[in-house]
Amino acid sequence: MDNITQIAFNARQAANVLQTITTAQKSVFLNQIYSKLALAKADILAANKVDKDLALKQVEAGKLSSSLYKRLDLEGAGKFETMLQGIKDIDQLEDPAGKVQTATKLDNGLDLYRVSCPVGVLLVIFEARPEVVVNIAALALKSGNAAILKGGKESFHTCSAISKAIREALDAAGSEGLNLADAVQIVESRQDIDALLKQDKYIDLVIPRGSNALVKYIQWNTRIPVLGHADGLCSTYVAESAKLDLAKTVVVDAKTTYPAACNSTETLLVHASHLKTAFFQELAKTLVVDNGVTLKCDAASLAALQKEGVAEIFKEHKDKIQASDDEDYDTEFLELTLAVKAVDSAEQAVEHINEHGSKHTDAILTEDEAEANRFMAGVDAAGVYWNASTRFADGFRYGFGAEVGVSTNKTHARGPVGLEGLVIYKYRLYGQGHASGNYGSGEGQKEYLHERIELKGNDTIATLRG
Amino acid sequence: MDNITQIAFNARQAANVLQTITTAQKSVFLNQIYSKLALAKADILAANKVDKDLALKQVEAGKLSSSLYKRLDLEGAGKFETMLQGIKDIDQLEDPAGKVQTATKLDNGLDLYRVSCPVGVLLVIFEARPEVVVNIAALALKSGNAAILKGGKESFHTCSAISKAIREALDAAGSEGLNLADAVQIVESRQDIDALLKQDKYIDLVIPRGSNALVKYIQWNTRIPVLGHADGLCSTYVAESAKLDLAKTVVVDAKTTYPAACNSTETLLVHASHLKTAFFQELAKTLVVDNGVTLKCDAASLAALQKEGVAEIFKEHKDKIQASDDEDYDTEFLELTLAVKAVDSAEQAVEHINEHGSKHTDAILTEDEAEANRFMAGVDAAGVYWNASTRFADGFRYGFGAEVGVSTNKTHARGPVGLEGLVIYKYRLYGQGHASGNYGSGEGQKEYLHERIELKGNDTIATLRG
C-alpha cells in the first residue's frame, strides 16, 4: 500500500470507529481537542510566525497577495480564541447522526427505521486560512466523520502544529479502546491531492473550500462526490410592481456589502417599464453615485441612463456606466460591478436566470405575491428569495450554527450546508426471524402492514431501540 | 448544437416547466399517458412482436439468452395491464415535491423554508424490459423531473412505440401553455449514451438499471451523479447466541428465494463456536442437502463439515462442499453458492463486512440485542438487519410504493430508493425588503431570531404560502 492509499485506508478505519461513538463521547473528544490546542497556543503561534515570515518575503517579492498574507495570520486580535470558541460552539449543536427520520412497521415484529449516520471519510481542501483545520476537525468529529485535510502550502507550519495537537487529543481516545488517531489527518503537497482524488474506495466526499479555480479543478478530477460551488452568479430581478425604496435597500445590500462573496448579486434584471420612469435612474444613481458601483448595461438600460436630462446625474461617473457584452451576463465580477438587463416579465427573468445563473441564489423584488411564487417555483437555484438580499445565503444567517460550505449541486445537499450535509442514513431492520418468502399474494402468504410508527420528533435510535 | 446536446437541452427546458406544475396537473398528465398507452396497445404489441421475432433469431443463433428474450415480452398474461396499472399506482403516491421540510423565522417578516423540489433531468439507462419506459416516465413526472431513456437495442421497436404514445399524451399539455413534449425522450444507440454522459450541464442524475457491467461502465464514464449499485455483496452473520431454527429460516430465505437478486446473501459468517457443535452441520445440511446450495468454506468450516460422523451427511453432495479461496469473499455469485467463513466475534464479522461487502445490506442473527446494536452501528451499509433476511432490501417491501433503484452511494440516497430519491430541496426566503447589512454585533445592528416555525407535518409550500 503506497503512502497515500495508507492515509485513505487509515481514515476509513477511523471512520468505522467514529460511526459507533455516542454524542457524549464526541463531546469528550471535542473538549480534549480544545484543551490541547489551548495548551499548544505558543507552539502554534510560533509555527504561524514561520509561515508569516516566509509569506512576507513572497509578498515583498510580489509573488503573494497581501490579502492572502492577512488570512494566514492567527495572532491578530482574538483570532486564536475565536478559533477555539468555534469548537465549543460546534459541541453545543445537535448531533446530526443517530436521528430516526422515518419508522415503519413492515409486519408484526418487523420494524424498519431510517437512521442518520455519518457519510464516512471527508477530504477537505482549502487555501490559506489555517483555522479551517480546527473548524473542519470539529465539524467532522461532531458528525462522526473522519477527515483528511490539505491546506495551502503557505500555512503548512501552522496547520502541522494544529494537527499535532489534534492528534494528541484523539490519541487519548485509545485509552477507551477507540483507535481514532487517524480521524483527522493532514497531507502536504498538491501531488497528494491528485492521488487522494483517486481514492474513491475509501473517501466518500470531497469538500473544496477556496477559489473558483480550485473547485473546478477538483470537480473535473475526481469520481468522488464533491460538495461545493465553483460559481456564485446571483441575480436580482426588480419586477414591475417593486417599490423603489425597497429595491434601493436590497440591491445595494446585495451588491456592495461584500462584493467578493459568492452570494453577492452580479446581475440586475429590471422590468422594462422602469426605464421609462424615474425608477431606474434613481436606482442607478444610488448604486453608481452613492455606492461607486459600475453598471454594465444592455442597450435599453444604457439608453435610459444616457438620455437627455438623465445623463447629467452621472456626468462625473461616466466611466461607471458602460455597455455590456454577452459575456458580462455569465461573469462573476466579485467586485463593485453589476451587469444590467431589461426584461419584459418575471418569466423572461426566470428564463435568463436558468440559462445564465449558477443555481446559487436569486431574488425577485415585487409587491405581487403570486408573481413571487411563480418566480420562486421557476428559478432552478438553491436559494430563491422574495424581497430580500441574496447576501442572506449563508449557513450562519440561516441559523445552522456552522457552515460546511455552500453547494450548488442538485443532489445530496444544496445551498448553505450545515452539519446535516455530513450525514446520510442507513436502514435498520429489526426482525424476529422474518423471511421474505412468506410475503406475497400466493396461497398462505402474508401481506405487509406498512404502518407508520409514530415519532415524537428528535427521536434517536438509541432512545427508541437502546 | 449537436443532436445529443439538443436532446439534453430540451430535457432541461421541460424540467424547468415540470418544476412549476401542481400535483393535480401531474395527475392529469399521468392519466393522459395511461389512456394513450391503452389506446396504442395494438401498435405497441405489434412493435413488441417485431422485437421478439428479431430476438428469437438471435436466441436460435445462440447470440442472445432466452431469459433476455422472456424479459422482452409484453404480451404475456396481464403484462401490459400490469404496466398500465403501475401508472395509476404511482399517481396515487404522495407528491414528493413541494413539501416543506424545515421552516425558520430569521427575523420578523423574514421567513426561510426548505422545500423539496425535483432534481431536474434524469438519464435512465436500462436493458431489455420495455415496460421500464412506462415506469420511469411515471416516476419522473410524479416527481417533476424530465427523463431521457435508453433501453436495450433488443427492445427498440417496443420502446419507440411506447414513447410515441407518451409524447402524444404530453403534447396535449401544450393546450395549457406548458411545453412538455420533451419531458420524456428516448435515445437509441450506445454512442448516444457516451455523448449524454458528458452533458453534465443539463443532466443532473444518471440511473442505470441493469447489469453490474453496465453500472460500472457508467460510474466510470461520467461526472454526473449516478444513483445505483454495481455490486450487491450481502453477508449474514450467525452469532454465538443465534437460534438454529431462526438461522435456518433466515439464511435459506436470504440465499435461495432469488439467488440472482442483489439483496441475496453471498457470504455466511458463522461464529466459531458453532463449528464445535451440531449447529453448523445442521445449518449446512439444510442449505446443501435440502436446498441445493454449494458452500465455499474456509479451512475451519470445511474441517467441521468433513470430520468423521459429519461427512456422511453430505456424502451424496460432496461436490457442494468446497474449499474457498480469497476471491470468493469478494464475489457476488448470483446463484446457489455461498461463501462461508468462521469468525470469533461480532467485531470480526463487522470488520470482514466493512472490508469485503458492497455496502448494500448485511444481517446479524443473534439473541443478544446489545450485540445486534453494535453490529448495526458498526457495519457501513445501506441496510443493517437484526434477525431478518437480507432479501427484505427492496422499495416495495419497505413500503415506498415504487422503487427507483437501490443505491450503495454514501451521499444523496441510500438503499432502496423511492420517489424521494428523485427530489432535492431549495430554500425559499420570504422577506419585506430585508438587507443583510442590518444584522451583526455592531452598533445599531440587529440579531437574528432563528425561531423554528412549527409545522403540522405534510405541510406544502402551497398551503403555507399560497
Side-chain angles (χ1 to χ4, degrees):
Chain A
M1 214 179 264
D2 65 73
N3 184 33
I4 285 295
T5 308
Q6 189 70 52
I7 287 172
F9 176 82
N10 292 352
R12 163 67 62 203
Q13 298 297 108
N16 286 341
V17 176
L18 281 169
Q19 68 175 335
T20 68
I21 69 175
T22 63
T23 307
Q25 287 174 309
K26 290 175 183 178
S27 190
V28 169
F29 300 145
L30 286 170
N31 280 292
Q32 280 170 351
I33 291 175
Y34 179 95
S35 307
K36 286 282 180 194
L37 285 170
L39 280 173
K41 180 174 177 180
D43 291 347
I44 293 167
L45 291 183
N48 191 232
K49 178 108 182 25
V50 175
D51 281 333
K52 283 192 296 183
D53 288 349
L54 288 168
L56 197 57
K57 279 182 201 149
Q58 300 261 75
V59 173
E60 286 162 1
K63 287 178 183 163
L64 203 71
S65 72
S66 56
S67 70
L68 194 143
Y69 175 77
K70 226 166 136 187
R71 287 202 298 269
L72 261 185
D73 182 43
L74 259 189
E75 221 177 348
K79 260 188 136 180
F80 196 88
E81 284 64 36
T82 304
M83 177 180 88
L84 286 192
Q85 183 56 39
I87 303 172
K88 298 258 183 200
D89 293 345
I90 288 168
D91 180 34
Q92 291 306 310
L93 296 175
E94 203 179 346
D95 191 336
K99 286 174 155 182
V100 176
Q101 300 171 335
T102 63
T104 313
K105 183 193 278 297
L106 303 190
D107 193 6
N108 291 316
L110 187 65
D111 294 336
L112 181 72
Y113 299 85
R114 196 174 94 179
V115 185
S116 66
C117 64
V119 163
V121 176
L122 316 176
L123 171 61
V124 185
I125 302 163
F126 56 100
E127 289 171 336
R129 301 190 305 119
E131 63 266 39
V132 169
V133 178
V134 174
N135 179 241
I136 291 292
L139 290 169
L141 266 182
K142 181 73 189 185
S143 53
N145 290 283
I148 303 171
L149 295 102
K150 160 77 174 73
K153 62 178 183 311
E154 297 78 11
S155 61
F156 173 65
H157 296 91
T158 320
C159 290
S160 299
I162 291 174
S163 128
K164 182 166 167 275
I166 293 174
R167 177 174 281 264
E168 282 170 16
L170 291 172
D171 259 341
S175 64
E176 299 185 39
L178 299 170
N179 185 358
L180 292 178
D182 294 319
V184 180
Q185 298 175 85
I186 291 238
V187 296
E188 286 178 40
S189 75
R190 180 67 180 247
Q191 285 85 332
D192 291 343
I193 285 304
D194 289 331
L196 282 167
L197 291 176
K198 295 193 178 75
Q199 297 288 339
D200 57 292
K201 185 177 174 190
Y202 298 119
I203 299 174
D204 300 301
L205 187 63
V206 185
I207 306 176
R209 310 225 301 195
S211 71
N212 203 307
L214 173 76
V215 178
K216 278 205 172 124
Y217 177 82
I218 288 163
Q219 287 175 334
W220 280 98
N221 286 286
T222 187
R223 294 179 55 228
I224 308 169
V226 177
L227 191 154
H229 67 283
D231 303 302
L233 206 162
C234 305
S235 299
T236 297
Y237 169 52
V238 182
E240 188 167 13
S241 66
K243 290 267 173 64
L244 179 59
D245 279 350
L246 185 150
K248 282 182 182 174
T249 304
V250 172
V251 177
V252 166
D253 187 85
K255 182 67 244 180
T256 69
T257 44
Y258 188 3
C262 62
N263 55 14
S264 290
T265 287
E266 305 289 4
T267 297
L268 180 69
L269 301 170
V270 187
H271 191 271
S273 63
H274 295 313
L275 305 188
K276 294 176 203 148
T277 68
F279 187 111
F280 178 59
Q281 70 200 46
E282 286 293 323
L283 179 58
K285 185 179 157 217
T286 303
L287 286 163
V288 175
V289 179
D290 304 344
N291 288 281
V293 176
T294 295
L295 302 182
K296 299 206 166 206
C297 301
D298 70 337
S301 58
L302 188 66
L305 298 183
Q306 289 181 337
K307 70 182 171 198
E308 232 187 284
V310 178
E312 285 88 87
I313 304 173
F314 303 100
K315 216 163 59 184
E316 285 165 38
H317 307 272
K318 253 176 138 175
D319 57 316
K320 291 201 164 66
I321 310 283
Q322 303 174 5
S324 64
D325 54 33
D326 287 353
E327 232 174 51
D328 290 322
Y329 301 101
D330 297 314
T331 300
E332 191 180 0
F333 298 107
L334 298 170
E335 56 183 28
L336 285 177
T337 302
L338 190 59
V340 181
K341 188 184 163 83
V343 296
D344 291 322
S345 63
E347 283 63 36
Q348 264 191 24
V350 168
E351 206 174 302
H352 177 92
I353 291 168
N354 284 343
E355 179 62 25
H356 298 276
S358 65
K359 303 185 195 297
H360 190 299
T361 305
D362 301 286
I364 182 171
L365 313 184
T366 178
E367 295 299 301
D368 178 348
E369 182 162 2
E371 184 186 36
N373 278 321
R374 288 203 313 277
F375 177 91
M376 291 195 280
V379 167
D380 180 20
V384 284
Y385 292 5
W386 176 29
N387 288 344
S389 164
T390 55
R391 291 272 294 124
F392 283 107
D394 171 284
F396 291 95
R397 290 169 185 185
Y398 278 13
F400 298 164
E403 184 176 276
V404 171
V406 176
S407 162
T408 53
N409 294 356
K410 298 292 292 281
T411 54
H412 188 60
R414 202 179 190 201
V417 179
L419 279 172
E420 263 189 50
L422 301 183
V423 296
I424 178 73
Y425 50 79
K426 57 167 84 163
Y427 286 94
R428 288 193 182 208
L429 181 64
Y430 292 77
Q432 298 173 356
H434 290 73
S436 69
N438 295 334
Y439 300 83
S441 51
E443 169 111 21
Q445 285 190 307
K446 292 196 280 184
E447 275 187 28
Y448 288 99
L449 294 179
H450 291 152
E451 285 169 12
R452 183 184 287 200
I453 299 170
E454 282 305 320
L455 296 173
K456 290 189 212 77
N458 292 322
D459 303 78
T460 67
I461 194 66
T463 56
L464 288 184
R465 302 289 314 207
Chain B
M1 214 180 260
D2 65 74
N3 184 32
I4 284 296
T5 308
Q6 187 72 52
I7 287 171
F9 175 82
N10 291 352
R12 163 66 62 202
Q13 298 296 107
N16 285 340
V17 176
L18 281 168
Q19 67 175 336
T20 67
I21 68 175
T22 64
T23 306
Q25 286 174 309
K26 291 175 183 177
S27 189
V28 169
F29 301 144
L30 286 170
N31 280 291
Q32 280 170 351
I33 290 175
Y34 179 95
S35 306
K36 286 283 180 192
L37 285 170
L39 280 173
K41 180 175 177 180
D43 292 347
I44 293 167
L45 291 183
N48 191 232
K49 179 111 183 24
V50 175
D51 281 333
K52 285 192 293 180
D53 288 349
L54 288 168
L56 196 56
K57 280 181 202 151
Q58 300 261 73
V59 173
E60 285 162 0
K63 289 179 182 161
L64 203 72
S65 72
S66 58
S67 69
L68 196 143
Y69 175 78
K70 226 168 135 187
R71 286 203 297 270
L72 260 186
D73 182 42
L74 260 189
E75 222 177 348
K79 260 188 135 180
F80 195 88
E81 284 62 37
T82 304
M83 177 180 89
L84 287 192
Q85 182 56 39
I87 303 172
K88 298 259 183 199
D89 292 345
I90 288 169
D91 180 33
Q92 292 305 310
L93 296 175
E94 203 179 345
D95 191 335
K99 286 175 156 183
V100 176
Q101 300 171 335
T102 64
T104 313
K105 183 191 278 295
L106 303 191
D107 192 7
N108 291 316
L110 187 65
D111 294 336
L112 180 73
Y113 300 86
R114 196 173 96 179
V115 185
S116 66
C117 65
V119 163
V121 176
L122 316 176
L123 170 61
V124 185
I125 302 164
F126 57 100
E127 289 171 336
R129 301 189 306 118
E131 63 267 38
V132 169
V133 177
V134 174
N135 180 241
I136 291 293
L139 289 169
L141 266 181
K142 181 73 190 185
S143 53
N145 291 282
I148 303 171
L149 295 103
K150 161 77 174 73
K153 62 178 182 310
E154 297 79 11
S155 61
F156 174 65
H157 296 91
T158 320
C159 289
S160 299
I162 290 174
S163 128
K164 181 166 168 276
I166 292 175
R167 177 174 280 266
E168 282 170 16
L170 291 172
D171 258 341
S175 64
E176 299 185 40
L178 299 170
N179 184 358
L180 292 178
D182 294 319
V184 179
Q185 298 176 86
I186 291 237
V187 296
E188 287 177 40
S189 75
R190 179 68 181 246
Q191 286 86 330
D192 291 343
I193 285 303
D194 289 331
L196 282 167
L197 290 175
K198 296 195 176 74
Q199 297 287 341
D200 56 291
K201 184 177 175 188
Y202 298 119
I203 299 174
D204 300 300
L205 188 62
V206 185
I207 307 176
R209 311 224 300 194
S211 71
N212 203 307
L214 172 77
V215 178
K216 278 205 172 125
Y217 177 82
I218 288 163
Q219 286 174 334
W220 279 99
N221 286 284
T222 188
R223 295 180 54 228
I224 307 169
V226 178
L227 191 156
H229 67 284
D231 303 303
L233 207 161
C234 304
S235 299
T236 298
Y237 169 52
V238 182
E240 188 166 13
S241 66
K243 291 269 173 65
L244 179 58
D245 280 349
L246 186 150
K248 282 182 183 174
T249 305
V250 172
V251 177
V252 167
D253 187 86
K255 183 68 246 180
T256 70
T257 44
Y258 187 4
C262 61
N263 54 15
S264 290
T265 287
E266 305 289 6
T267 297
L268 180 70
L269 301 170
V270 187
H271 191 270
S273 63
H274 295 315
L275 306 187
K276 295 177 203 148
T277 67
F279 188 111
F280 177 60
Q281 70 201 46
E282 287 293 322
L283 178 58
K285 184 178 159 220
T286 304
L287 286 163
V288 175
V289 180
D290 304 343
N291 288 280
V293 175
T294 295
L295 302 183
K296 299 206 167 205
C297 300
D298 70 338
S301 58
L302 189 67
L305 298 183
Q306 290 180 336
K307 70 184 169 197
E308 230 185 286
V310 178
E312 286 89 86
I313 304 172
F314 303 100
K315 214 164 60 183
E316 285 166 37
H317 307 271
K318 253 177 140 172
D319 57 317
K320 291 202 164 67
I321 310 284
Q322 304 174 4
S324 64
D325 54 33
D326 287 352
E327 232 174 51
D328 289 323
Y329 301 101
D330 298 313
T331 300
E332 191 180 0
F333 299 107
L334 299 170
E335 56 184 27
L336 285 177
T337 301
L338 190 59
V340 181
K341 188 182 161 85
V343 297
D344 290 323
S345 63
E347 283 61 37
Q348 264 191 24
V350 167
E351 205 174 302
H352 177 93
I353 291 168
N354 284 342
E355 179 62 26
H356 298 276
S358 65
K359 303 185 194 297
H360 190 297
T361 305
D362 301 287
I364 182 171
L365 312 184
T366 178
E367 295 299 301
D368 178 347
E369 182 162 2
E371 184 186 35
N373 278 321
R374 288 204 312 278
F375 177 92
M376 291 195 280
V379 167
D380 180 20
V384 283
Y385 291 6
W386 176 29
N387 289 345
S389 164
T390 55
R391 291 271 295 124
F392 283 108
D394 171 283
F396 292 94
R397 289 169 186 184
Y398 277 12
F400 298 163
E403 184 176 277
V404 171
V406 176
S407 163
T408 53
N409 294 356
K410 297 291 292 284
T411 53
H412 188 59
R414 202 177 189 201
V417 178
L419 279 171
E420 264 189 50
L422 300 183
V423 296
I424 179 73
Y425 51 78
K426 57 167 85 162
Y427 287 95
R428 288 193 182 209
L429 183 63
Y430 292 77
Q432 298 173 355
H434 289 74
S436 69
N438 295 334
Y439 299 84
S441 50
E443 169 111 23
Q445 285 189 308
K446 292 196 280 184
E447 275 187 30
Y448 288 100
L449 295 179
H450 290 151
E451 285 168 11
R452 183 185 286 200
I453 299 170
E454 283 304 320
L455 297 173
K456 290 189 213 76
N458 292 321
D459 304 77
T460 67
I461 194 68
T463 56
L464 288 183
R465 303 289 312 208

